[in-house]
Amino acid sequence: MGGSGQRRVVVAGAGIPGLSLALALKQAHGPALAVTVCDPGLASGASRHRGRAFAVAAGGRRMFERLGIWETVSVAAEPIRDMVVSDSRLADPVRPVFLTFAQEPSAQEPSAQEPSAQEPSAQDAQAGEPFAHMVEAEPLVEALLAACAKAGVVLDAVGIAAADPGPEAIELQRTDGRTESATLLVAADGARSRLREGAGIGWVGWSYPQSGIVATIGHERPHAGRAWEHFLPSGPFAILPLVDGGEREDGKPSHRSSIVWTERAADVPALLGGGPDETLAEIERRFGHGLGRLVLEAGPSAHPLAFGIARRFRADRMALLGDAAHVIHPIAGQGLNLGLAGAASLAQAVTDALRLGLDPGAPDVLQAYERDRRFETLAMGAMTDGLNRLFSTDALPVRLARDLGLGLVDRLPGLKRLFIGQAAAARGTLPRLLRGQAL
């Protein structure tokens, strides 16, 4: 396990949650804790994440500020200042708006019903600030990799093929044939996690008859930080603001947005099987003309959608993190934020154990992590699944009921703030990192 008395954590998977966990632990414990991230994808650096973007909620932004990378990332982060929700059929000439969200004004007076300063709420985070930022994945991963290297995290472009837990350590078989031991293994190796499977942890889930299509769109007019969620019978079509691309010599629009387009899986080959002009025409039908002329900057790429959750988030000397523990529908844009919450919770559980001189891979430490994360994960998974089923139908009675519900939420400020708080990862008991506090 390294030098005398030194503990060692190995993170299998260099996604954003895994790198965030590794960086948090190494910054908190320095030489007393050896931290290694293993992933064959490290050989290609951050470039494999090109073309993807995520909505980072207020809690995740506070975590990145505490980890010291937000100043670097912020130049590639576009604040979401308001959001508009509409619901119609694709051919409808008018898209009625049923719900709007906007950042809280900076001069808002506190009320007796708002959470205390110890628990930042969405309102606290949004006093003149947005409740979320759209962040492109490549610069975010670049910043995490650089910070990890500077902090002393070992970045190893190799996979973990198998793990054999023992009473004092877990023995790891690397894909290059070598073996090593660790105090704790964090399986952050994706939804098809071999480490989860090898540990005998079951998986409950199902596939949706939908695909998620992502692309980057250039447009003529500025988006002003506004996000759109347009519900169609085949699924939601989201337009999410990105930072501008700067002046362009080719005359193409410099304003940019990311689209997340949920479509029936059976229809995707026909929709995307033509040339670029045909694909752009399909996007324009859903995007609308409010932002002027459109160009296709990156993508589109289609991915099958699914829901899944591990029956346990832990095994002997192993914790599951990110997609290895849970996969949810992208309708609410909360997949990454769930992963970051898991990283913050696990970092806190490990840190609390180490500071008490306890074994960070012991069952009670990992049980504490599982208790902290399981209910919220189940709740978010159920919410996204329910929203997708509610809005991915063209049945008239259902449409009328959901539009009435959206209208009621829009007229009830307290309920609307509750929705914003959930989206901002700012309700309930938060791990210290999500509150912007040190471990």
Side-chain angles (χ1 to χ4, degrees):
M1 284 187 287
S4 176
Q6 187 185 49
R7 305 285 190 176
R8 185 157 184 258
V9 174
V10 172
V11 181
I16 295 170
L19 290 172
S20 299
L21 171 68
L23 178 59
L25 289 175
K26 192 61 180 176
Q27 286 182 345
H29 302 283
L33 180 68
V35 182
T36 300
V37 177
C38 293
D39 190 329
L42 285 168
S44 57
S47 62
R48 61 182 174 145
H49 299 275
R50 188 169 300 156
R52 302 183 66 191
F54 298 99
V56 176
R61 184 202 45 162
R62 287 192 290 264
M63 178 175 176
F64 291 143
E65 286 174 344
R66 172 54 61 179
L67 295 179
I69 67 166
W70 185 250
E71 184 176 357
T72 300
V73 171
S74 63
V75 298
E78 178 66 29
I80 299 177
R81 302 194 180 279
D82 59 56
M83 184 171 184
V84 176
V85 179
S86 60
D87 184 11
S88 72
R89 297 182 178 91
L90 182 58
D92 288 351
V94 177
R95 296 180 176 181
V97 172
F98 291 97
L99 184 60
T100 59
F101 295 103
Q103 68 182 61
E104 295 289 334
S106 57
Q108 179 183 349
E109 292 296 328
S111 73
Q113 295 172 331
E114 289 176 354
S116 70
Q118 302 299 323
E119 294 287 343
S121 71
Q123 296 93 297
D124 297 325
Q126 294 172 57
E129 297 181 357
F131 56 84
H133 288 76
M134 281 301 299
V135 182
E136 294 182 76
E138 186 176 12
L140 175 55
V141 173
E142 283 179 347
L144 283 167
L145 288 172
C148 281
K150 182 178 179 180
V153 175
V154 176
L155 301 171
D156 203 344
V158 66
I160 302 296
D164 182 20
E168 300 295 332
I170 184 167
E171 300 299 320
L172 308 177
Q173 179 68 47
R174 297 158 47 108
T175 53
D176 61 3
R178 290 185 290 163
T179 60
E180 57 186 328
S181 64
T183 313
L184 172 65
L185 171 64
V186 180
D189 52 339
R192 299 180 179 179
S193 171
R194 293 185 178 181
L195 293 172
R196 181 190 69 223
E197 193 174 303
I201 300 175
W203 183 257
V204 179
W206 50 82
S207 297
Y208 294 108
Q210 298 170 313
S211 291
I213 303 169
V214 295
T216 302
I217 304 298
H219 44 84
E220 190 175 10
R221 301 187 187 108
H223 46 58
R226 170 169 289 179
W228 291 82
E229 185 96 28
H230 182 51
F231 289 109
L232 296 164
S234 58
F237 184 91
I239 303 170
L240 305 166
L242 296 177
V243 294
D244 286 348
E247 294 294 329
R248 299 183 57 142
E249 296 180 358
D250 56 10
K252 291 183 178 180
S254 62
H255 307 297
R256 303 185 308 141
S257 290
S258 174
I259 63 167
V260 181
W261 169 13
T262 300
E263 190 57 70
R264 298 181 185 94
D267 294 338
V268 169
L271 290 169
L272 303 185
D277 291 341
E278 289 82 358
T279 299
L280 185 60
E282 290 292 343
I283 292 172
E284 285 178 329
R285 290 182 69 200
R286 295 155 178 83
F287 198 103
H289 303 286
L291 296 181
R293 182 169 63 95
L294 305 183
V295 296
L296 191 59
E297 286 208 349
S301 59
H303 312 273
L305 299 182
F307 168 83
I309 186 167
R311 290 188 179 275
R312 292 180 286 124
F313 286 5
R314 59 180 176 82
D316 291 343
R317 295 202 171 272
M318 179 190 297
L320 305 184
L321 181 65
D323 286 356
H326 44 73
V327 174
I328 64 173
H329 196 283
I331 190 170
Q334 292 300 305
L336 175 63
N337 293 305
L338 269 185
L340 291 176
S345 176
L346 184 55
Q348 184 168 311
V350 168
T351 292
D352 289 348
L354 286 170
R355 286 178 177 158
L356 291 172
L358 303 176
D359 181 354
D364 56 340
V365 175
L366 302 185
Q367 286 169 4
Y369 160 66
E370 182 178 55
R371 283 194 305 270
D372 184 59
R373 296 307 311 148
R374 191 158 185 84
F375 177 78
E376 182 183 346
T377 302
L378 282 168
M380 183 62 72
M383 184 192 77
T384 56
D385 181 72
L387 285 174
N388 181 57
R389 294 178 189 276
L390 176 64
F391 284 96
S392 298
T393 179
D394 200 29
L396 182 58
V398 177
R399 290 188 65 211
L400 291 173
R402 74 194 182 205
D403 291 346
L404 176 62
L406 288 173
L408 287 173
V409 171
D410 198 43
R411 289 163 176 78
L412 295 172
L415 186 56
K416 187 186 287 191
R417 283 196 295 269
L418 180 65
F419 275 88
I420 295 173
Q422 187 65 44
R427 293 284 174 180
T429 302
L430 297 177
R432 290 190 288 270
L433 284 173
L434 293 188
R435 298 194 303 241
Q437 298 175 1
L439 282 174

